[in-house]
Amino acid sequence: MSLVELIAQADERGLAVSGLACLDRCVPLLGGDEEVLRPLWASLAEGAAADEWAQRLEQTRGTLDAAAGGEDEAVALAHRMLAAAPARRSAAGLREWADACSVAALRIHRLLDGPAAAADDAGTDLDDARREGRTAGVSPLLAAELRRQITVLELLSAHGPAGLRGALEVSTEGRRVLRAAVSRRSRRDG
């Protein structure tokens, strides 16, 4: 199934996890530490109170807004993902957010893959890649992010709430990859 189809079929928790996982992988751009989104992840666990998401989202925004640094396109995209997170966990709002986070995270990975890779990907339509699940002909960083997004949604679809841990592991790995890409870009540009 393509990424677009997986988002269209995901339930409320799957959508929240999908958006949060994209945001989590982009935390290095937001100036947050490895644990800054843990409270939001916990609010998606089975048995968490419905209002925990809104409270923890507000706390997270306060923390990451305080850590905000210089603004380039990738950083701005990551901040928009955080700002657009719906305070109320409804399927409609979460579906829109998960979809927007998916596109933003892919754009961020394209930007961080370096000028040569971005030029190679220039002819790649992200919407087509998301619809077709196609990674052929795209840069390695972008292809890996597309695969991670699909994997997160498949885990939640197949395992329900029990897939949350696996989704977090996929996100943690992706965050490390993105942190390395940010570091490479700093060395290249600095």
Side-chain angles (χ1 to χ4, degrees), residues 75-88:
V75 172
L77 285 166
H79 276 287
R80 275 187 240 143
M81 278 195 281
L82 178 60
R88 199 169 136 261

Side-chain angles (χ1 to χ4, degrees), residues 163-183:
L164 192 61
R165 179 178 295 281
L168 180 57
E169 289 170 3
V170 168
S171 246
T172 299
E173 176 215 347
R175 187 179 340 108
R176 288 183 188 122
V177 169
L178 191 117
R179 190 173 303 281
V182 168
S183 179

Side-chain angles (χ1 to χ4, degrees), residues 28-41:
L29 295 168
L30 296 171
D33 66 23
E34 300 288 314
E35 300 297 317
V36 71
L37 295 179
R38 287 290 176 151
L40 278 173
W41 282 100

